[in-house]
Amino acid sequence: MSNSEDAGRSNTSDEGKSPAKRLVTNVPRLDFITKGGLIQGSSYAIIGPPGSGKTVLANQIAFQHVKNGGKALYVTLLSESHGRMLENLSQMTFYDASVIPDRLQYLSGYRDLERDGLKGLLELLRKNAQAHGTTLLIIDGMDAAKEFARTDLSFKRFLQDLQTFSSILGCTTLLLAPHHEGEIHPENTAVDGIFELSLWLHGPRAVRELIAIKFRGGPSLLGRHEVEISNQGMVIHPRTEVQFAHPAAEGREDRIRMSFGIPRLDEALHGGVLSGSTTLLLGAPGTGKTLLGLHFLLQGAREGQPGVYFGFFETPPRLIEKAEGTGMGDLKKYVDEGLIEIQWQPPLEHNLDSLAEKLLERIDERKVDRLRLFIDGVSGFRSAAVYPDRMGRFFSALTHQLRMMDVTTLYSDETPLFSPGVEMPQPEAASTVENVILVRYVELRSQLYRLLSIMKMRESAYDSAIREFSISGEGIRVADTFESAESILTGHARLSGGESSGPDRVKAPLGARRKQGRKTAAKKKPAAKKAPAGASRRRRS
C-alpha cells in the first residue's frame, strides 16, 4: 500500500460544505490515518515521552513540506542545540541541507521567552513567521513555555493568540511537548488535534506506537498503530484490521481449480482448491507442510501461474536444496526466472502490520493474475504480535484482502508434536478459511507414518477419507485410503493381536503390511521333528 490512498485529496465533513485544504505530510501512512493529511491552518499537539520520536516526526514533516513548495519555521525552546539535532537528522533520507535556511529556518526562542515571557515569545513568532512567509510552524519544547505561564488560563490565552495569527497567515502549527502517562496538558483542549507517541517495553522488546487522540475537521483511524524509526525516518503501520475495515464485497467470479500436482490429493480435492480461496495446512513439525506448500507453488509455475513463498524459517538456498532432494528439482529454474518469488523474513523482531504491508504491497506491484501464495508459518506472524488477542481480526482482514486480490493462499500452522488430539493453534481461523487439510504422524508398531485428511472444503465436494502419504527422493506420494478404526487421528493407533478381522483391528500401511507378511511366512515354516526321548537320554549319558 502507498502512503495513503487519500493523500492529497480534500475532505468534506458534511454535504454542501467546501472541502478543507490539507497539508500532506508524506510521512508513510500518517496521511492514511488522517484521511488525507493535516488540515491547513489548524494546530496540532505532538506529545510523548523522551525517545518516542517527536522531534524526528516534526522534522520529517517539515522537510517534506518544503520539498513540496512550502516554507517552515522550526522554533526550539530549551531543547537540544540546532547543530546536534541536524547532525542526528543528517543520517536520514528525508534530510536535505540545501533547503536550510531559505525554505526551512531554525530559530531558538528561549532567550526571548526568558526575558519577556510568553508575550515576548509570541512577538518573536509573529515577526519571523511573517518575514519568512511561513506555512508550517513548529514549536519544540512547549513544556518550557508552560513554565512561564502564571496559570493554565494564561497559557491557554497564549495558545489562542498563537492560533489567531497562524490562521491569518494560513499557517499549520505543530506543538511538541513531553508527556508521561497520567499527565494532563491544558493545551490539549485548545488545539485541533493531538497525536500521542508512546515508547514502552513488551518483554525485552521496545514498542513505539502512535494514537490520533483528537482530530477536528475530519475522520481519522482511531486506536494504536505501531511505529518504526529507521534511516527513512518515521514509518507508521496502521492496524491491518483497520486498514481493510471496508473491503470490497466480492472478488473475481471466473474461478478455476488450483491443483497440487499430487494425483491422489488432487483427486480427493476434486481437481484442486478453488482460485481465490484460502487453505489452512495443519500439522506437527516435520510432517511435510513446507514440501506440500512448495509442491503447490511448483505445480502452478508448471502451469504458467506465478507464485510467492512468504516464510520465516527456511532461507532460499535451504528451500531449493530441500526441493531438489524430494523430486522438485525444477523449482530453482522457476525461481531464477522470477515466476516463483521467495520472500524470506530473517529471524529479527518483526512488526505484525509491517509484515502484512510488505506482503500485500509486493503482490500489488507484480500485477499478475491467478497468483498462488504459500505463507509458511503462521507462527511467524504470531510471534510478531504485541497484542495476541488481535490475531483473529488480523488474519480475517488479511485473508479477505488476499481473496479480493484473487490470490489463492495456503497457510501452514503447527499443531503440538506430542498431543493426543487435534488442537488448532488459532481456533477462530477455521471460520476464516475455506479449506483445512490436516497432516499427522501415526504410530504403528513403533514406527511413524504420515497421514493426510481433508477436514473442510467450502463451496466444493471432496473426499474426506484418510490417506497415507510418504516423502522420498522421488517426491511426495499419496496412497489409497488408510483404513483405521481406533483413534487414528490421535497419533495413538495400534495393531491389535490375533487373527481377528473385527472392528477393533487396524489395518497396517503398505510398508508395515510387507514386513508383517514376511514374519507370518516365517511362522508357517514346518517345525523340525523332535528326537525320541530315549535318544535324548543316550546323548546325555
Side-chain angles (χ1 to χ4, degrees):
M1 182 188 293
S2 59
N3 288 354
S4 169
E5 297 174 359
D6 302 316
R9 298 181 183 177
S10 298
N11 178 68
T12 306
S13 56
D14 295 315
E15 189 176 352
K17 291 186 178 181
S18 59
K21 293 182 179 180
R22 295 293 186 126
L23 186 151
V24 180
T25 68
N26 285 319
V27 174
R29 298 180 183 85
L30 179 59
D31 297 316
F32 181 78
I33 288 175
T34 59
K35 302 294 184 180
L38 306 178
I39 296 176
Q40 190 173 318
S42 297
S43 59
Y44 298 91
I46 300 178
I47 61 176
S52 57
K54 300 183 296 297
T55 300
V56 171
L57 176 59
N59 276 282
Q60 190 172 353
I61 294 174
F63 275 96
Q64 295 289 357
H65 181 64
V66 299
K67 182 180 179 180
N68 293 333
K71 286 198 171 183
L73 177 63
Y74 197 109
V75 181
T76 59
L77 305 175
L78 203 61
S79 59
E80 63 183 332
S81 67
H82 296 162
R84 177 63 63 86
M85 180 169 63
L86 293 177
E87 182 182 354
N88 294 332
L89 293 172
S90 65
Q91 308 301 315
M92 299 188 171
T93 56
F94 63 77
Y95 179 80
D96 182 7
S98 67
V99 302
I100 305 170
D102 293 335
R103 285 181 281 168
L104 174 54
Q105 187 177 93
Y106 288 87
L107 179 68
S108 176
Y110 184 73
R111 186 172 298 176
D112 294 77
L113 176 63
E114 188 177 34
R115 184 181 63 242
D116 301 318
L118 293 177
K119 183 178 180 181
L121 175 61
L122 189 63
E123 183 60 29
L124 176 71
L125 296 173
R126 183 185 293 113
K127 181 176 65 176
N128 283 273
Q130 288 177 334
H132 187 59
T134 301
T135 51
L136 175 64
L137 173 62
I138 301 171
I139 305 176
D140 192 349
M142 289 300 294
D143 56 322
K146 197 185 306 179
E147 293 294 327
F148 287 85
R150 292 188 300 272
T151 63
D152 287 348
L153 181 58
S154 63
F155 188 62
K156 288 184 179 180
R157 284 175 179 169
F158 163 75
L159 293 173
Q160 187 177 27
D161 292 339
L162 176 63
Q163 288 177 311
T164 299
F165 91 77
S166 296
S167 299
I168 293 173
L169 291 177
C171 175
T172 307
T173 306
L174 304 181
L175 308 174
L176 279 60
H179 170 75
H180 298 280
E181 189 174 355
E183 290 182 343
I184 299 175
H185 295 260
E187 65 268 29
N188 289 354
T189 60
V191 295
D192 299 298
I194 304 170
F195 297 101
E196 180 182 347
L197 294 167
S198 61
L199 175 61
W200 57 283
L201 292 178
H202 176 65
R205 174 181 172 183
V207 180
R208 285 188 172 96
E209 293 178 318
L210 178 142
I211 311 173
I213 296 177
K214 176 182 178 182
F215 194 80
R216 288 176 182 163
S220 64
L221 294 184
L222 300 176
R224 297 179 181 273
H225 310 287
E226 279 200 61
V227 169
E228 289 180 311
I229 297 179
S230 65
N231 65 335
Q232 299 179 7
M234 182 170 285
V235 180
I236 303 169
H237 303 291
R239 300 191 318 281
T240 301
E241 58 269 30
V242 178
Q243 289 193 55
F244 306 110
H246 305 288
E250 296 182 0
R252 190 166 173 172
E253 293 294 333
D254 54 329
R255 304 174 72 184
I256 61 173
R257 293 281 181 174
M258 304 288 230
S259 66
F260 278 77
I262 303 172
R264 291 299 177 90
L265 175 57
D266 291 331
E267 286 177 17
L269 294 168
H270 286 216
V273 296
L274 287 171
S275 61
S277 66
T278 304
T279 302
L280 181 60
L281 183 58
L282 280 173
T287 49
K289 301 183 297 299
T290 298
L291 291 176
L292 284 170
L294 288 177
H295 218 291
F296 179 71
L297 296 180
L298 181 58
Q299 180 62 22
R302 289 168 177 168
E303 297 176 11
Q305 297 164 351
V308 173
Y309 172 92
F310 192 89
F312 300 88
F313 312 110
E314 302 276 5
T315 62
R318 188 72 177 269
L319 280 173
I320 299 295
E321 181 183 353
K322 179 179 285 190
E324 289 175 345
T326 52
M328 293 183 279
D330 52 343
L331 178 69
K332 186 177 186 302
K333 178 186 74 169
Y334 293 114
V335 171
D336 292 341
E337 293 175 356
L339 195 57
I340 295 177
E341 181 177 315
I342 298 177
Q343 294 187 27
W344 175 60
Q345 318 310 309
L348 306 173
E349 287 187 352
H350 295 292
N351 175 282
L352 180 64
D353 302 297
S354 175
L355 289 170
E357 290 163 3
K358 179 180 178 181
L359 173 62
L360 294 172
E361 286 175 2
R362 182 60 189 132
I363 290 174
D364 188 59
E365 287 171 3
R366 292 188 68 176
K367 299 187 183 305
V368 294
D369 292 329
R370 304 299 191 193
L371 181 78
R372 295 186 182 212
L373 169 65
F374 174 42
I375 298 179
D376 191 10
V378 171
S379 58
F381 283 99
R382 198 176 291 118
S383 64
V386 176
Y387 304 100
D389 60 346
R390 280 189 54 204
M391 292 305 298
R393 298 186 298 274
F394 169 83
F395 271 106
S396 178
L398 177 61
T399 297
H400 197 70
Q401 187 65 21
L402 289 168
R403 190 178 294 128
M404 294 305 102
M405 298 170 77
D406 193 39
V407 176
T408 307
T409 307
L410 180 65
Y411 290 107
S412 71
D413 204 359
E414 288 192 351
T415 57
L417 182 59
F418 302 106
S419 175
V422 179
E423 299 178 13
M424 290 192 67
Q426 194 173 314
E428 60 270 23
S431 61
T432 302
V433 302
E434 287 91 344
N435 317 310
V436 177
I437 299 176
L438 176 68
V439 288
R440 285 216 55 154
Y441 285 123
V442 173
E443 181 185 351
L444 293 167
R445 281 197 170 177
S446 301
Q447 295 188 44
L448 290 177
Y449 298 89
R450 292 181 175 95
L451 295 181
L452 181 148
S453 55
I454 302 167
M455 309 296 290
K456 170 187 174 182
M457 195 170 180
R458 285 183 191 157
E459 305 171 330
S460 173
Y462 64 94
D463 182 359
S464 61
I466 301 167
R467 296 173 182 269
E468 179 192 359
F469 79 99
S470 60
I471 300 172
S472 67
E474 299 177 356
I476 300 175
R477 177 178 175 270
V478 177
D480 293 335
T481 300
F482 174 31
E483 299 175 3
S484 60
E486 184 182 70
S487 306
I488 194 62
L489 290 180
T490 67
H492 293 284
R494 300 182 303 275
L495 278 172
S496 56
E499 299 299 324
S500 170
S501 59
D504 291 334
R505 180 170 174 79
V506 177
K507 190 176 181 181
L510 298 176
R513 288 182 219 161
R514 287 194 292 269
K515 293 178 182 178
Q516 183 182 356
R518 289 194 293 269
K519 292 179 181 179
T520 304
K523 289 180 180 179
K524 291 183 178 179
K525 288 182 179 180
K529 294 182 179 180
K530 294 183 179 180
S536 177
R537 285 194 297 271
R538 284 194 296 272
R539 282 198 296 270
R540 285 197 295 271
S541 63

